[in-house]
Amino acid sequence: MSPTTRSPIPSRHGVLRRSLGAATILSALALGACNTQTATAPLSPPTAHTALAQPPALTGEARDKEWLKQAPQGNVDPKIARTTVDYKTSEPAGTVIVVTKERRLYYVLPDGKAVRYPVAVGHAGMAWAGTANVDRKGEWPDWNPPPEMIARRPELPKRLEGGPTSPIGARALYLAEGKKDTLFRIHGTNEPEKIGQAVSSGCIRMLNADVVDLYERVPIGAKVVVR
């Protein structure tokens, strides 16, 4: 698998602090989850006031299993659920194609096939179209709303640690044009009930289980076509 950007794993105290904070702002996070960049440094840990040993932090598959259980759950119509389909395109295998009118994302396979995923797309006036490349990838990334979003919703946090209640979900693919960040992402969601709708601030939202699947398939540098 290609190199990835991983968010720092919080301590037990960090998980409690994040959960409490997320509960108070969860209703304010419905606008979309595009961020400016993934934070590279963890928050300062709380001062220890006990000699009791702390449990080891969850990592890798154990973290994914636990956090995916904790994340908001939603039922998706089986008619639009992830599946492999016949798909004619001139794009080579390994390309990601987002068809916003269909609210579907296709990962092109060899021999005229593709994996089709249901997605949520940008609402009117917020959608983006074009060709980009996957510049970097992140697992359970922190959410850093861009200034434009904070200007519209000043109650939003400037930073929210990655985790099961984060609006950016379990994985994120960061899109760039000519190495310039587009500020648009393909990422998970904490609102699975909105998959199949045009609701985001421009980013492409996926079910957390689906974005984990796509993340494993797509290397850094992969071509992404949004139309």
Side-chain angles (χ1 to χ4, degrees), residues 31-35 96-106 117-123 126-130 167-175 182-190 194-208 210-211 214 224-227:
L31 270 184
C34 298
N35 64 350
V96 175
I97 301 175
V98 179
V99 184
T100 55
K101 289 184 178 180
E102 294 182 15
R103 289 148 198 189
R104 300 290 186 274
L105 181 151
Y106 296 87
Y117 305 83
V119 298
V121 299
H123 58 72
M126 302 296 290
W128 173 81
I168 205 167
R171 301 288 191 272
L173 307 179
Y174 298 82
L175 307 184
T182 65
L183 299 183
F184 291 94
R185 325 294 188 210
I186 299 171
H187 61 76
T189 184
N190 63 356
K194 293 184 178 179
I195 292 297
Q197 302 179 31
V199 293
S200 80
S201 291
C203 289
I204 307 301
R205 302 185 195 176
M206 303 180 70
L207 295 171
N208 281 324
D210 283 353
V211 79
L214 181 68
V224 179
V225 179
V226 181
R227 59 189 186 212

Side-chain angles (χ1 to χ4, degrees), residues 23 116 150 161 202:
R116 185 184 66 194
I150 292 178
E161 289 184 24

Side-chain angles (χ1 to χ4, degrees), residues 74-156:
N75 295 322
V76 173
D77 187 337
K79 294 180 181 179
I80 68 169
R82 183 204 329 165
T83 188
T84 299
V85 297
D86 293 328
Y87 191 67
K88 293 182 179 180
T89 178
S90 60
E91 299 293 347
T95 302
V96 175
I97 301 175
V98 179
V99 184
T100 55
K101 289 184 178 180
E102 294 182 15
R103 289 148 198 189
R104 300 290 186 274
L105 181 151
Y106 296 87
Y107 177 75
V108 181
L109 300 172
D111 302 322
K113 300 286 186 179
V115 182
R116 185 184 66 194
Y117 305 83
V119 298
V121 299
H123 58 72
M126 302 296 290
W128 173 81
T131 300
N133 295 93
V134 176
D135 185 58
R136 53 195 175 94
K137 302 173 16 174
E139 297 186 8
W140 299 101
D142 293 347
W143 182 48
N144 301 278
E148 296 82 2
M149 186 179 291
I150 292 178
R152 296 193 304 270
R153 298 292 297 271
E155 74 276 17
L156 295 179

